[in-house]
């Protein structure tokens, strides 16, 4: 059970917190200690809005053991509005309704349950933008 | 810097070796390679392996294998670069010999993936990806490749069935390789109907989980007359890297690790893609074969399938690929795979493979071993002596 990892990553999992380089303005997610563009270490936390479009997706039928009970489920690559791409599960949508280029928004969902007595771990997933 | 050559080859069949443990597989391949080279010891041993800790509860492979191989006291260490571990170990041996630090280095790639059931191996293999941001999202290693394949189909307006050319060729060649796991041909129809693993990747796009070990003996070219085995020149063995996570790549369909590794290998060898007679591609998944052909400079971006159709990748074609079955047909014991590729390419140049898969008039062979989804890439170019 990787409780320390989930605790450590809470700002990423719940708030999409990455980094902004104070020297060149480059944004990164996941957060990095060294700016990929200008190699500066002068970076501060930056929260992404969680809005994006779908770059690619897959439905996983054979899953790693921890996710075995949840299969099949969908995972996508999402291009965030701020120009950064991230990996996340897709939720609240059926495989036939998913298309590359569709608009998505971040939501907090259960990532997995560590057995009947273990903790439930939460984090970001993406769903189609709700229309009102 | 000294020029280097291979003078000994060894390999076990790729199988589900339930009766053999990790060390016996490694020792068999290593001692076979030493016998082929005509040596009873080496100056060092490089062990390529990815998952001994996760799946056999065994690390510290260097000294373990050195001991069981009867090389008491010899220096040995494990080299890990996910599915690229095998060729990464060859790279380390090449550095040791070309620098003059050692005269003869044994390289053995070994992997045992069948100690546990498939879902555990699936989880272990996924450690090649970014643990904090890819795998803890539920992404399997097949899933990462599926994301690439889906986008490839979308950008180049292809049908999934177009990819069958690669696994059909690999299986056709594996029939004649006694060490291959799948010695049977497959058809386009079987490919089209195959079970989905991570949509759009199906079972016949995917190389199988397997056990095996392969070994080579790397020596200085100036000393090859001292050894019994027929020498094959290592013109280049070069590494290129890229981000672990595919979402951190500007264009995930362009494998920069492949481009960097191949360009270095061409530069060091003084060759270009058109000089390569045989290509052993890292066909862990059909999509990776396509991306590798493009970023290695054999064809332009998005054109790999057309290139493969036009060039004819069969044994008698103008660009024979995966002549011993590749990862798909021979099997993919991950940390051993890069060494199998080089052993098979060297066998081709020695002219010792079964006649139906022996490529005539081949002088230069290239093998490319890819770790993860392109984060560590090792391109090796061999030449007949």
């Amino acid at each position: 059970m990787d409780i320390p990892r989930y605790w450590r990553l809470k700002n990423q999992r719940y708030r999409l917190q990455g980094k902004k380089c104070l020297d060149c303005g480059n944004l990164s997610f996941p957060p990095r200690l060294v700016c990929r563009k200008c190699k500066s270490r002068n970076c501060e936390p930056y929260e992404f809005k969680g809005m994006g479009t779908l770059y690619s997706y897959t439905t996983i039928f054979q899953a790693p053991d921890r996710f075995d009970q949840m299969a099949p489920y969908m995972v996508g690559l999402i291009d965030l509005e701020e120009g950064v791409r991230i990996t996340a599960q897709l939720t609240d949508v059926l495989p036939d309704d998913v298309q590359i280029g569709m608009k998505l928004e971040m939501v907090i969902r259960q990532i997995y349950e560590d057995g009947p007595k273990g903790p439930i771990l939460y984090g970001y997933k993406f769903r189609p933008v709700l229309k009102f | 810097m000294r020029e280097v050559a291979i003078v000994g080859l060894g390999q076990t069949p790729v199988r589900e070796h339930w009766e053999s443990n990790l060390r016996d597989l490694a020792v068999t391949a290593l001692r076979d390679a030493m016998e082929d080279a005509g040596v009873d010891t080496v100056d060092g041993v490089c062990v390529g392996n990815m998952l001994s800790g996760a799946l056999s509860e065994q690390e510290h492979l260097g000294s373990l294998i050195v001991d069981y191989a009867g090389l008491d006291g010899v220096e040995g260490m494990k080299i890990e670069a996910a599915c690229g571990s095998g060729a990464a170990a060859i790279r380390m041996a090449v550095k040791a010999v070309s620098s003059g630090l050692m005269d003869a280095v044994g390289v053995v790639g070994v992997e045992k993936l069948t100690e546990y059931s498939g879902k555990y191996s699936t989880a272990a293999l996924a450690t090649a990806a970014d643990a904090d941001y890819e795998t803890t999202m539920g992404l399997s290693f097949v899933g990462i490749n599926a994301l690439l394949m889906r986008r490839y189909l979308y950008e180049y307006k292809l049908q999934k069935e177009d990819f069958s050319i690669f696994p059909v060729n690999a299986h056709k060649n594996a029939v004649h390789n006694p060490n291959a796991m799948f010695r049977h041909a497959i058809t386009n129809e079987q490919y089209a109907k195959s079970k989905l693993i991570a949509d759009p990747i199906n079972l016949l796009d995917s190389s199988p989980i397997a056990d095996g070990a392969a070994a080579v003996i790397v020596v200085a070219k100036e000393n090859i007359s001292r050894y019994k085995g027929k020498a094959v020149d290592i013109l280049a063995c070069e590494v290129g890297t890229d981000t672990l996570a595919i979402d951190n790549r500007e264009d995930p369909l362009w494998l920069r690790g492949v481009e960097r590794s191949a360009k270095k290998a061409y530069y060091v060898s003084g060759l270009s893609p058109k000089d390569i007679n045989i290509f052993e591609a890292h066909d862990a998944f059909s999509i990776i074969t396509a991306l590798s052909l493009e970023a290695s400079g054999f064809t332009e971006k998005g054109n790999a399938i057309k290139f493969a159709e036009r060039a004819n990748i069969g044994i008698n074609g103008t660009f024979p690929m995966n002549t011993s079955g590749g990862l798909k047909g021979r099997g993919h014991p991950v940390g051993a795979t890069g060494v199998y590729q080089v052993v098979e390419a060297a066998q081709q140049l020695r002219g010792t493979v079964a006649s139906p898969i022996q490529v005539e008039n081949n002088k230069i062979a290239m093998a490319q071993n890819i770790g993860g989804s392109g984060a560590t890439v090792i391109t090796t170019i061999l030449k007949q002596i």
Side-chain angles (χ1 to χ4, degrees), chain A residues 37-84:
Chain A
K37 215 168 172 182
C38 74
K39 318 304 173 197
S40 165
R41 292 172 65 179
N42 189 20
C43 302
E44 68 174 11
Y46 178 90
E47 255 178 54
F48 290 86
K49 280 186 298 192
M51 305 296 289
T53 55
L54 190 61
Y55 175 84
S56 190
Y57 63 97
T58 179
T59 306
I60 310 254
F61 293 96
Q62 281 186 18
D65 58 337
R66 183 180 276 177
F67 295 90
D68 201 32
Q69 298 301 315
M70 288 175 240
Y73 55 88
M74 303 187 73
V75 180
L77 290 174
I78 299 111
D79 286 336
L80 298 179
E81 278 179 356
E82 296 90 339
V84 168

Side-chain angles (χ1 to χ4, degrees), chain B residues 117-164:
Chain B
S117 72
K119 61 182 182 176
Y120 294 103
S121 304
T122 300
L125 287 165
T127 59
D130 187 321
D132 280 359
Y133 295 98
E134 289 186 313
T135 26
T136 46
M137 293 295 140
L139 196 54
S140 61
F141 194 61
V142 189
I144 292 172
N145 290 277
L147 292 169
L148 296 174
M149 188 170 179
R150 169 90 64 198
R151 185 71 193 190
Y152 193 96
L153 294 173
Y154 170 83
E155 281 203 13
Y156 305 123
K157 299 180 174 54
L158 292 165
Q159 299 301 313
K160 185 187 149 39
E161 289 70 28
D162 295 333
F163 275 88
S164 67

Side-chain angles (χ1 to χ4, degrees), chain A residues 5 32 36 56 58 73 87, chain B residues 132 136 138 147 199 247-248:
Chain A
R5 187 204 303 255
R32 289 167 177 259
R36 282 183 81 186
S56 190
T58 179
Y73 55 88
T87 305
Chain B
D132 280 359
T136 46
L147 292 169
D199 189 18
D247 59 16
N248 269 218

